[in-house]
Amino acid sequence: MSDRAGQSNDRERVLDATDIVRLVGEHVALKARGREYVCLCPFHDDHKPSMYVVPHKQIYHCFSCNAGGNAIDFVMNFHKMDFIEALRHLADRSGVTLTPRRSDHGGASGGATHSAGDESGRTPAAAQRDANAYAQSFFRSILRHPEHGAEARAMIARRGISEEMVEAFGVGAAPDRWDGLLLTIRAKGLDENVFARAGLLKTREDGGRYDAFRHRLIFPIHDQVGRVVAFGGRKLREEDEPKYLNSPESEAFDKSRTLYGLHQAFREIQKERVAVVTEGYTDVIACHQAGVRNVVATMGTALTREHARILGRLCDTVVLVFDADVAGQKAADRALEVFFASPVDVRIAVLPGGKDPDELLKQEGGADRFRACVAGATDALDYRFARLRERLAGVGLSARARIIEEDLARLAEIGLHELSPIRKRLVIRRIAGVAGVNEQEVIASAPRARPRRADADAPPPHPRREHTRAEQALGALLCAPGLWDVISPDEHDILREHAYAASPADAVTRAAEAVREQGREPTLSEVLGALDESDARQAAVAMAAAVETITDNDPERIERFLRDCLRVLARERARDAGASNTGAQTDDFASRIAAQRKLRETYGDAARAIPGVAAPTTGPSG
């Protein structure tokens, strides 16, 4: 079997074995709406549900940003995977064994795998993730080594990290030498450049290479699906600096989008509808070891809007655990600003005695005290306004007015006017109570929001445009595939002729015809399975969704809509043909008049209008 044929068969089997509702539901909170499910779209900054998941078609589609496709597309777009990675991930998830295929170098590659450092046909991020996976196996083997892993194992024992947690988090060790990983890479004939771009190797001034992580306890950093995207290393010798060393950002690793422990915690976060955010690797591991498994940590950086979006898709409440010192208070203030316009409730937990979670959990009854602290966490707005009251205590009227006005200006900057009306009113009421004035005065004093700078963390929107008549006709056929059998050969030719004029309608039409030639009904799911390009699959879903919106998915209206689209296309075709003929026979005025009369009798007066059909809409906006 050829690689292409095997890959196509693999794709069909993987899609058949994947429930898209369950898949999407593992990443965002879904709510049932009739036969479908709705959610906040993870592909743009959505504040009200605009993405639909349709189980009977095994597709998703956002009516706001136009993202859409099947299960493979969702994984590719959500996790920034290439096709092979997405196929392999879904196959592993559903227990499907992929067809062994030949690599570009002529060797057999079972299950569509790639060797570390192989960039052929891969994105840079995918190649770096493979390099990280290889490095992870190296660090794990060093931890088990009787000599090279001894100090790391001793530290694990001193920190009280259980063997279960070592396995769950993939903890490893880097040897006390400059070329441990480098020699292994060279022995395997792997590409050093990929490892260097992943931050695993560094380059000397003379061009030589050496290991970035040396004599350290290694904490692999995973993305939500468990791929290693980076590493953190904790020193084993007291004199070594820095205490923690992290991978630099790369194509595979973006600190602003990564939360340590999310892979291990996200199911528990969904189950509890609460996420607890701490500040360190060992804090997360200590919490999980104590049975509190809905805990994650930032990557040594402040929380970002992307972190807020990720957590907001998984839960209703985020509890931020900070130290009671000044730095902790500043961090809490920054975090509140990040989450202020997010649709989740945010609470602040300050641990007793200024201890971090790891220290507290090691004490007698520490787990119960930690849970009580999280359960009794202060509402973030209460926390913020308590701080505001402290600033206002004992100041004069002028200073009081200035502080309130400054606070209102800051709230406007971080999204006061973007809140839902009820939530905005509650915030205004709280400010009025602190300031000792009525709500109308607060509203009048609040500056109007200036346009916010584009959020660098936000993913780029999917392009949207109006559908052509040919694309609308294709959308109708995707909604009601039985209509392929009732359109005439001439209408089929007209559709093909117009569709082939532009991609992606061209690819969708060809895929539908290929499915029909194989004796299968060209349903949307079947057509998506036959399309190789993600852009074409997204376009097919968007075409079908637009027609469903226009026709309310009513079979009779869909057929009428298709007939009207084909009539307009036929009219345009005949008009173009008539214009060509009249150009060649400019002296035959009577023939031109007769031809125009025949067109009106056959197709009507309006060349483009679709009688009896409302103007297309785009469905709910986000």
Side-chain angles (χ1 to χ4, degrees):
M1 181 183 293
S2 69
D3 280 359
R4 188 176 182 83
Q7 204 172 90
S8 178
N9 181 259
D10 285 342
R11 178 171 56 196
E12 292 176 10
R13 292 189 297 117
V14 165
L15 289 173
D16 286 344
T18 301
D19 176 6
I20 196 167
V21 174
R22 184 175 178 185
L23 172 69
V24 177
E26 290 174 356
H27 300 81
V28 295
L30 293 176
K31 294 182 180 179
R33 182 173 293 177
R35 298 175 62 197
E36 302 171 351
Y37 293 82
V38 297
C39 61
L40 294 175
C41 177
F43 303 113
H44 76 283
D45 192 10
D46 199 5
H47 291 279
K48 59 181 178 180
S50 58
M51 194 172 95
Y52 286 66
V53 181
V54 187
H56 62 282
K57 294 183 179 180
Q58 288 295 295
I59 63 167
Y60 71 95
H61 177 70
C62 176
F63 281 95
S64 183
C65 74
N66 216 34
N70 58 21
I72 294 175
D73 296 303
F74 182 83
V75 171
M76 289 175 65
N77 291 321
F78 191 95
H79 295 296
K80 306 297 186 291
M81 292 183 178
D82 60 27
F83 174 79
I84 293 298
E85 282 187 301
L87 188 68
R88 186 171 62 198
H89 168 70
L90 289 175
D92 291 343
R93 183 179 173 279
S94 57
V96 172
T97 302
L98 298 179
T99 305
R101 58 189 285 272
R102 289 202 170 269
S103 70
D104 294 334
H105 304 295
S109 176
T113 59
H114 293 259
S115 63
D118 175 17
E119 287 192 292
S120 55
R122 316 296 312 283
T123 63
Q128 289 167 23
R129 285 190 291 265
D130 284 343
N132 287 332
Y134 182 82
Q136 164 69 349
S137 66
F138 170 78
F139 294 138
R140 293 283 288 149
S141 68
I142 293 298
L143 181 65
R144 293 189 292 267
H145 192 277
E147 177 186 352
H148 298 305
E151 287 186 71
R153 292 194 302 274
M155 174 167 281
I156 289 172
R158 288 197 303 273
R159 300 301 298 259
I161 302 174
S162 70
E163 183 61 31
E164 179 190 359
M165 290 297 105
V166 170
E167 291 298 320
F169 287 86
V171 179
D176 187 12
R177 54 183 300 162
W178 292 84
D179 58 359
L181 177 60
L182 177 62
L183 291 178
T184 305
I185 292 168
R186 288 176 174 172
K188 293 291 185 180
L190 304 177
D191 186 352
E192 295 178 23
N193 293 321
V194 179
F195 287 83
R197 285 192 286 272
L200 291 160
L201 298 177
K202 292 187 176 182
T203 304
R204 296 188 181 92
E205 290 183 2
D206 63 4
R209 294 259 169 76
Y210 62 96
D211 290 5
F213 294 98
R214 303 176 306 281
H215 201 225
R216 287 180 177 269
L217 187 65
I218 299 295
F219 298 92
I221 299 164
H222 301 87
D223 62 11
Q224 188 173 334
V225 293
R227 299 173 299 177
V228 180
V229 295
F231 295 92
R234 204 262 189 212
K235 68 180 183 180
L236 294 174
R237 270 190 299 255
E238 192 60 35
E239 62 269 23
D240 287 346
E241 292 297 338
K243 182 176 181 180
Y244 280 97
L245 179 67
N246 295 325
S247 296
E249 290 196 325
S250 65
E251 287 88 349
F253 177 47
D254 182 346
K255 290 181 182 179
S256 70
R257 300 172 186 268
T258 307
L259 289 163
Y260 181 74
L262 184 62
H263 170 57
Q264 293 84 358
F266 82 92
R267 293 187 189 279
E268 193 69 17
I269 289 173
Q270 285 185 311
K271 176 183 174 183
E272 297 290 333
R273 307 301 302 162
V274 176
V276 179
V277 181
T278 64
E279 296 182 290
Y281 306 134
T282 54
D283 289 337
V284 171
I285 292 174
C287 289
H288 282 245
Q289 185 167 315
V292 186
R293 302 202 170 185
N294 56 335
V295 181
V296 297
T298 54
M299 302 304 309
T301 59
L303 281 162
T304 67
R305 292 188 182 278
E306 185 60 24
H307 290 140
R309 276 194 283 269
I310 291 168
L311 294 174
R313 294 193 293 259
L314 296 173
C315 62
D316 304 315
T317 303
V318 175
V319 178
L320 307 173
V321 179
F322 292 110
D323 296 334
D325 58 14
V326 173
Q329 290 181 356
K330 289 183 178 178
D333 288 339
R334 289 195 302 269
L336 173 59
E337 292 189 355
V338 167
F339 280 93
F340 183 68
S342 175
V344 298
D345 291 327
V346 181
R347 307 182 75 82
I348 306 294
V350 178
L351 300 184
K355 297 186 180 300
D356 60 35
D358 187 29
E359 293 172 323
L360 178 62
L361 290 166
K362 284 182 170 61
Q363 295 180 350
E364 185 71 27
D368 290 337
R369 292 170 66 194
F370 181 81
R371 288 190 178 91
C373 187
V374 169
T378 304
D379 178 84
L381 287 176
D382 286 343
Y383 182 87
R384 188 180 193 282
F385 289 129
R387 301 275 310 283
L388 181 60
R389 283 192 184 91
E390 292 175 4
R391 292 175 61 200
L392 294 174
V395 302
L397 290 178
S398 296
R400 189 180 187 88
R402 186 185 69 253
I403 291 171
I404 293 295
E405 288 169 357
E406 289 173 353
D407 198 62
L408 277 171
R410 184 56 186 155
L411 289 176
E413 287 179 7
I414 63 176
L416 175 64
H417 298 292
E418 298 172 19
L419 301 179
S420 67
I422 293 177
R423 189 171 180 183
K424 180 179 177 180
R425 174 65 69 177
L426 291 173
V427 172
I428 293 293
R429 184 173 299 167
R430 299 287 293 280
I431 298 172
V434 173
V437 297
N438 65 52
E439 295 176 27
Q440 290 306 315
E441 290 173 332
V442 172
I443 294 172
S445 300
R448 299 306 304 171
R450 291 175 294 182
R452 286 208 283 173
R453 291 178 299 174
D455 187 356
D457 295 330
H462 293 255
R464 295 188 61 196
R465 60 179 177 79
E466 292 297 321
H467 290 124
T468 65
R469 289 297 181 213
E471 289 170 336
Q472 289 179 328
L474 272 175
L477 290 167
L478 291 170
C479 289
L483 294 177
W484 282 100
D485 297 325
V486 301
I487 63 176
S488 69
D490 189 51
E491 289 172 327
H492 197 144
D493 290 342
I494 291 171
L495 178 62
R496 183 188 295 115
E497 182 181 301
H498 280 80
Y500 285 1
S503 183
D506 177 3
V508 176
T509 304
R510 291 180 188 274
E513 289 176 337
V515 170
R516 293 189 75 214
E517 288 172 2
Q518 295 168 9
R520 306 198 309 272
E521 187 176 44
T523 62
L524 179 57
S525 296
E526 290 281 358
V527 172
L528 292 179
L531 285 166
D532 292 327
E533 297 298 325
S534 178
D535 287 348
R537 292 194 294 270
Q538 177 183 307
V541 171
M543 291 177 204
V547 172
E548 283 192 1
T549 300
I550 293 168
T551 63
D552 288 332
N553 206 24
D554 177 82
E556 291 184 3
R557 291 182 63 186
I558 292 173
E559 181 173 0
R560 192 161 62 248
F561 181 80
L562 173 64
R563 293 292 186 191
D564 289 336
C565 286
L566 291 172
R567 179 187 64 76
V568 172
L569 292 173
R571 166 80 180 185
E572 292 176 352
R573 182 197 205 192
R575 185 187 57 194
D576 292 342
S580 175
N581 290 335
T582 56
Q585 302 175 4
T586 55
D587 58 333
D588 192 353
F589 181 74
S591 296
R592 297 203 308 273
I593 293 297
Q596 290 296 322
R597 185 179 296 115
K598 180 65 174 175
L599 285 175
R600 286 196 298 273
E601 291 173 355
T602 305
Y603 301 112
D605 289 321
R608 296 184 179 275
I610 297 184
V613 178
T617 59
T618 57
S621 61

